[in-house]
Amino acid sequence: MKKKLLKALSLIFIFNLILTVPKIEVQAQDYWPSSVDVTAEAAIVMEEETGAILYSKNMDDVHYPASITKIMTALVVLENCDLDETVTFSAEAVYGTELGSSSIARDVNEEMTVEQTLYGMMLESANECAYALGEHVAGDINSFVDMMNAKAKELGCKNTHFNNSNGLPDDEHYTSAYDMALIARAAYKIPKFAEIVGTKNYTIPPTNKHSEPTMLNNHHCMLHYFKTNQYLYEYCLGGKTGYTDVARSTLVTYAKKDGMTLVCVVLKDQTGEQYVDTTNLFEYCYDNFTKYHVSDFASISEDNTDITGKLSEKSELIKIDKKGLIVIPKAASILDVTSSVVPYKDDTNKAVVGQLQYSYAGRNVGYANLLFTNAETGSYPFDNLPVEQGGSGKDYIQVNYVKIGLIILIIIAVAAVIMFIKSKSSSILLFRHRFKAKHYRQPKTNMTIIRNNGKKRRRRR
């Protein structure tokens, strides 16, 4: 009952927002920077926080991913395992991968932690590590592949199907640049994943099968000079490489500059050119785009209702999260941005009741969450959520069910009184009729009574 009541209130608020948030007319609909090209057959650059697509080339075309598949493998593992769990390498993991493919030469029944195995898979692209992790999580590799495909669907991938955990050639194993960017963006939100892909080298200590430590090096040439320093990029945060004869060179890279984190994916590129293409795309985006937080809007425009809508500071129950942001071309103005209310798809954060979706030139360029306020005016019975639950202490609230219960009881009591009065209305009307009959003259009949000498005599009229 409590959840239904809160949901009903949320729906009412969202409906009102849809009616009240203004739309701003776009003044530069056709402008979008497009002066860069790449040799890769497909490519995309996505802003990590908003998901805004800053550049794309054939982003929905299907290609083989090769070892960037392991980003999805790592994502599923990290969502389903503790890092200190023990991974045991089966004969299928050791011998079931293609001969001569990437490996760190593990032995049957060798034991490592999940964390160590992840480093082996992501830095050295070890295929037996990817296989062993899949078996560890799901019991067998086919079940793990099902988990990978389910996660891809959950993220909104439309042109992706996995058939193994390592990316070795398979006709039923493919993706697109856009889908891979969605996967890479989701994985990077996990701090341990970001730490692993940004690590230049790592040492696996001796195991039950290897008496010597195993040294690992990150193969991403924009981050680490393991093979060459020709492609080093100072803003690179890490990523994952891939290559097979059919996939050619594939690459996922993260970079951060001027407070903006970007994810770049290139598919079916020429060897060496994947780094050149990625670097050029990053520089193009950093040169041509900038990021604004909602909290910055007021400093740009005295009347910030153009961006945040009239409810921003005037609603007692809902306000816009100031941590929301947009990414637009540097030559554009935030006044060229439109806003509209959309549903919030993540049910885990109950304080968020919707989102403002920002668009520019027909493209989604950012969002801001719509939050319950603490209703300090007392108009509605809400209390703040604590900071340890992810709130700010002011922006996030919870329902005070005691106060709501009292309000409901008052409403029920009033309704009961009305029903009681209605049920007694007929008795009240009868009493009123008798009262009038007793205190007022009876109406004349067709007989007139006259008195004569103390006797009554009737006379017809």
Side-chain angles (χ1 to χ4, degrees):
M1 178 65 185
K2 295 176 181 178
K3 292 182 178 179
K4 290 182 178 179
L5 177 60
L6 182 57
K7 185 176 182 180
L9 288 171
S10 300
L11 291 174
I12 292 172
F13 298 150
I14 292 296
F15 179 74
N16 287 333
L17 291 177
I18 293 173
L19 296 179
T20 59
V21 175
K23 298 288 184 66
I24 306 117
E25 293 298 326
V26 176
Q27 299 173 9
Q29 293 185 359
D30 297 328
Y31 174 71
W32 196 266
S34 58
S35 59
V36 65
D37 200 6
V38 296
T39 60
E41 291 195 11
I44 188 172
V45 180
M46 179 179 288
E47 200 280 323
E48 192 271 333
E49 290 186 84
T50 62
I53 300 170
L54 308 187
Y55 172 89
S56 68
K57 175 184 178 181
N58 303 326
M59 68 177 187
D60 293 321
D61 288 0
V62 170
H63 291 280
Y64 297 115
S67 284
I68 60 175
T69 296
K70 294 175 175 113
I71 294 176
M72 174 59 93
T73 301
L75 172 58
V76 175
V77 170
L78 287 168
E79 287 186 338
N80 291 276
C81 288
D82 292 327
L83 294 173
D84 59 355
E85 293 178 16
T86 300
V87 176
T88 303
F89 286 75
S90 68
E92 290 78 11
V94 174
Y95 300 116
T97 56
E98 186 176 306
L99 185 64
S101 63
S102 300
S103 170
I104 57 170
R106 297 299 90 175
D107 293 329
V108 177
N109 294 324
E110 186 160 1
E111 295 179 350
M112 300 195 315
T113 65
V114 166
E115 181 178 24
Q116 293 164 357
T117 311
L118 281 168
Y119 273 103
M121 178 181 73
M122 297 305 292
L123 271 60
E124 292 281 349
S125 203
N127 290 321
E128 78 272 31
C129 289
Y131 201 110
L133 285 166
E135 287 185 321
H136 176 76
V137 171
D140 62 83
I141 203 65
N142 290 332
S143 298
F144 184 77
V145 166
D146 290 340
M147 295 175 68
M148 295 171 70
N149 288 317
K151 186 63 181 180
K153 183 178 180 180
E154 176 189 324
L155 293 175
C157 298
K158 299 183 182 300
N159 298 291
T160 294
H161 185 268
F162 295 111
N163 217 30
N164 58 59
S165 62
N166 46 42
L168 289 173
D170 189 309
D171 289 343
E172 297 301 316
H173 191 92
Y174 51 83
T175 190
S176 67
Y178 174 73
D179 287 358
M180 201 65 228
L182 291 179
I183 296 167
R185 180 188 176 215
Y188 203 74
K189 293 183 182 300
I190 302 175
K192 190 61 183 181
F193 176 88
E195 175 188 323
I196 291 173
V197 298
T199 299
K200 295 179 180 180
N201 46 62
Y202 181 84
T203 301
I204 298 175
T207 69
N208 62 322
K209 294 291 183 177
H210 283 80
S211 59
E212 298 294 327
T214 303
M215 304 297 294
L216 308 177
N217 284 283
N218 197 320
H219 290 191
H220 199 305
C221 292
M222 293 174 66
L223 178 74
H224 185 39
Y225 54 85
F226 170 57
K227 293 182 179 180
T228 177
N229 61 4
Q230 178 182 357
Y231 304 111
L232 289 178
Y233 183 64
E234 62 177 315
Y235 305 110
C236 180
L237 300 175
K240 184 71 190 76
T241 61
Y243 178 87
T244 65
D245 289 342
V246 293
R248 308 308 295 172
S249 291
T250 63
L251 188 68
V252 173
T253 311
Y254 304 93
K256 185 176 183 179
K257 180 181 179 183
D258 299 332
M260 185 161 60
T261 301
L262 302 180
V263 182
C264 180
V265 179
V266 294
L267 298 177
K268 203 167 187 179
D269 210 342
Q270 300 175 23
T271 300
E273 289 301 311
Q274 73 271 35
Y275 298 117
V276 175
D277 285 344
T278 299
T279 299
N280 289 339
L281 287 172
F282 280 146
E283 288 300 296
Y284 155 80
C285 290
Y286 287 126
D287 287 344
N288 286 279
F289 293 89
T290 191
K291 181 172 68 174
Y292 295 98
H293 285 83
V294 171
S295 58
D296 297 331
F297 295 162
S299 65
I300 298 172
S301 172
E302 293 183 0
D303 181 10
N304 67 348
T305 58
D306 287 338
I307 285 294
T308 59
K310 292 182 179 179
L311 86 154
S312 179
E313 302 297 338
K314 299 179 181 179
S315 171
E316 294 182 351
L317 285 176
I318 293 181
K319 72 174 184 178
I320 297 172
D321 186 356
K322 298 299 184 183
K323 292 180 290 186
L325 51 84
I326 62 172
V327 179
I328 57 175
K330 289 182 177 180
S333 166
I334 62 168
L335 299 181
D336 298 330
V337 176
T338 63
S339 61
S340 60
V341 176
V342 297
Y344 183 65
K345 299 179 181 180
D346 186 358
D347 294 333
T348 59
N349 191 344
K350 302 301 182 182
V352 181
V353 296
Q355 284 186 334
L356 274 182
Q357 184 72 59
Y358 296 117
S359 300
Y360 166 78
R363 304 165 186 256
N364 291 332
V365 294
Y367 69 92
N369 290 333
L370 297 174
L371 308 172
F372 277 121
T373 70
N374 57 7
E376 294 177 353
T377 59
S379 299
Y380 294 87
F382 295 105
D383 293 325
N384 294 339
L385 280 178
V387 174
E388 58 267 24
Q389 294 184 15
S392 65
K394 292 184 178 181
D395 291 340
Y396 297 88
I397 56 80
Q398 65 183 16
V399 178
N400 186 323
Y401 293 111
V402 174
K403 292 182 179 180
I404 285 183
L406 291 175
I407 293 174
I408 293 175
L409 288 176
I410 292 172
I411 294 173
I412 293 174
V414 172
V417 170
I418 294 173
M419 293 178 65
F420 176 79
I421 294 174
K422 185 176 180 180
S423 66
K424 297 298 183 178
S425 61
S426 58
S427 298
I428 294 173
L429 290 174
L430 179 62
F431 173 81
R432 183 179 178 184
H433 175 73
R434 289 177 176 175
F435 179 83
K436 288 183 177 181
K438 182 176 181 180
H439 292 83
Y440 296 93
R441 290 179 55 189
Q442 295 291 333
K444 293 181 180 181
T445 66
N446 59 349
M447 298 286 280
T448 301
I449 302 176
I450 60 175
R451 297 179 182 276
N452 186 20
N453 296 325
K455 295 181 180 181
K456 297 180 179 179
R457 184 172 52 147
R458 296 178 182 267
R459 182 175 65 189
R460 295 281 182 184
R461 298 182 70 179

